Amino acid sequence: MVPTCFEALDTHVIGGAADRVALTGAGQTWTYARLLEEVAAFGGVLRHCGVTAGDRVLVALPAVPEAVVTVLACARIGATHALVDPATLVPDEPVKVLVTASSETYVAERLETADRVPDVVLVKQRADTPWPLVEGRDYDWDVVMRAGRTDPAPCLEGATVTPYDEPTAAWVQPLVAGATLDLG
C-alpha cells in the first residue's frame, strides 16, 4: 500500500512536478516541493513531541495551509488526526498533541477550564490575536518548524490517514490527483 502522504506529495515531486502549484490559501501559494518540505518538517516536530504511529493529534485550525500540513504530517508518520470543534476539544482519552492557531480563541478558553489537556499545544501565532504560551506545554509553530526542518520525517511505509473525514478528504484528493488545492 502506498502511503497517503507519499501519494499526495512525494510522487509529484519525484515525477518532476516539484514547482507545480499544490496549494493556495490565506494569501499564499505553495508548490508541491514547498508543501512536501513543510509536511516532512512538521512530521519531524510531531515525532519530537512523542507522536508515533497510531497516536491521535487534535487539529483545531481553520482551513489554512497549516491545517493541511498537519493532516499530511500525521499521515506521513502514521498518526491519525481529529479535526475538532469547541464541543469535542478536550477528549476523554489522553492526547499528546493539539495543533491550533492563536486566532482560535475558544481553544485557549477551553484549555483553561479543562480537567484533561494535551501534553503539547503547538500554536500558529497570528499577529492580531497573540497566544500567551504556557511554559512547558505550548510551543510556537514557527519556532518548532525551524527545529523540524533539521530532522524531517520520512514517510512511514503503509502510513495512511484513517479514516478520512469530509474536510480532509477534500484536501487530500486534489493533491493525490496532482491538482491545486484551493482553500478559498
Side-chain angles (χ1 to χ4, degrees), residues 4-183:
T4 302
C5 186
F6 189 88
E7 195 175 356
L9 300 176
D10 302 60
T11 300
H12 304 298
V13 172
I14 293 166
D19 294 328
R20 183 184 311 149
V21 174
L23 174 66
T24 60
Q28 302 175 52
T29 300
W30 296 37
T31 64
Y32 274 90
R34 178 175 177 212
L35 186 55
L36 173 58
E37 190 176 300
E38 296 297 295
V39 166
F42 198 65
V45 168
L46 292 174
R47 283 187 322 178
H48 191 70
C49 291
V51 176
T52 60
D55 288 341
R56 188 169 65 136
V57 173
L58 297 182
V59 184
L61 289 166
V64 293
E66 292 84 0
V68 176
V69 168
T70 301
V71 167
L72 288 172
C74 287
R76 190 166 195 84
I77 65 171
T80 61
H81 71 278
L83 298 179
V84 295
D85 61 34
T88 60
L89 176 61
V90 182
D92 294 333
E93 60 196 57
V95 172
K96 289 183 182 172
V97 176
L98 165 68
V99 183
T100 191
S102 61
S103 58
E104 303 303 293
T105 55
Y106 70 86
V107 174
E109 293 166 4
R110 287 290 306 240
L111 288 175
E112 286 178 18
T113 60
D115 292 332
R116 183 183 303 235
V117 296
D119 297 339
V120 175
V121 179
L122 302 173
V123 182
K124 177 63 179 172
Q125 294 282 9
R126 303 289 185 219
D128 57 336
T129 53
W131 178 295
L133 300 174
V134 173
E135 188 173 337
R137 183 195 73 190
D138 300 353
Y139 299 91
D140 184 292
W141 172 286
D142 293 326
V143 173
V144 298
M145 284 296 280
R146 286 186 216 130
R149 287 185 188 93
T150 67
D151 187 22
C155 245
L156 182 66
E157 190 168 327
T160 60
V161 177
T162 54
Y164 279 126
D165 51 29
E166 195 173 316
T168 54
W171 293 343
V172 174
Q173 289 168 349
L175 296 172
V176 168
T180 299
L181 171 60
D182 182 3
L183 295 175

